[in-house]
Amino acid sequence: MDKVVRMSSEKGVVIFSKSSCCMSYAVQVLFQDLGVHPTVIEIDKDPDCREIEKALMRLGCSTPVPAIFVGGKLVGSTNEVMSMHLSGSLVPLVKPFQANLC
């Protein structure tokens, strides 16, 4: 679990993903459209994949991927991120991590 906590807090927006997960891709595109360049960690390419999945579940993820962290805190999975976006609460949360577009 220490590895997941460390990786999730190293960058502003971190997405734990699998290279074949279409929902992870959709979340990545959403963040990019919001001007955020998330760090994507494809756990299926990590030798500790099973341990990372277990750690994400212990941290409260309903599914191991995608698991989205903003500012080192677990936001959730696709459902939570999309709900936040539709309610207008996602943009203020990621504002500090948006690329300077000027």
Side-chain angles (χ1 to χ4, degrees), residues 82-100:
M82 294 302 182
S83 293
M84 290 177 75
H85 183 54
L86 292 173
S87 71
S89 60
L90 183 61
V91 171
L93 182 65
V94 300
K95 191 165 185 65
F97 308 107
Q98 288 176 318
N100 187 357

Side-chain angles (χ1 to χ4, degrees), residues 40-52:
V40 179
I41 300 168
E42 292 184 348
I43 65 172
D44 55 334
K45 295 181 179 177
D46 190 303
D48 296 327
C49 179
R50 295 280 184 221
E51 293 306 314
I52 293 171

Side-chain angles (χ1 to χ4, degrees), residues 12-13 30-38 70 85 90-102:
V13 178
L30 171 63
F31 280 108
Q32 290 168 354
D33 286 349
L34 295 175
V36 175
H37 301 291
V70 177
H85 183 54
L90 183 61
V91 171
L93 182 65
V94 300
K95 191 165 185 65
F97 308 107
Q98 288 176 318
N100 187 357
L101 302 175
C102 298

Side-chain angles (χ1 to χ4, degrees), residues 54-86:
K54 290 176 187 175
L56 290 168
M57 298 295 282
R58 284 194 302 267
L59 288 171
C61 295
S62 56
T63 58
V65 295
I68 299 96
F69 290 78
V70 177
K73 295 183 179 153
L74 175 65
V75 173
S77 191
T78 308
N79 288 343
E80 291 81 11
V81 169
M82 294 302 182
S83 293
M84 290 177 75
H85 183 54
L86 292 173

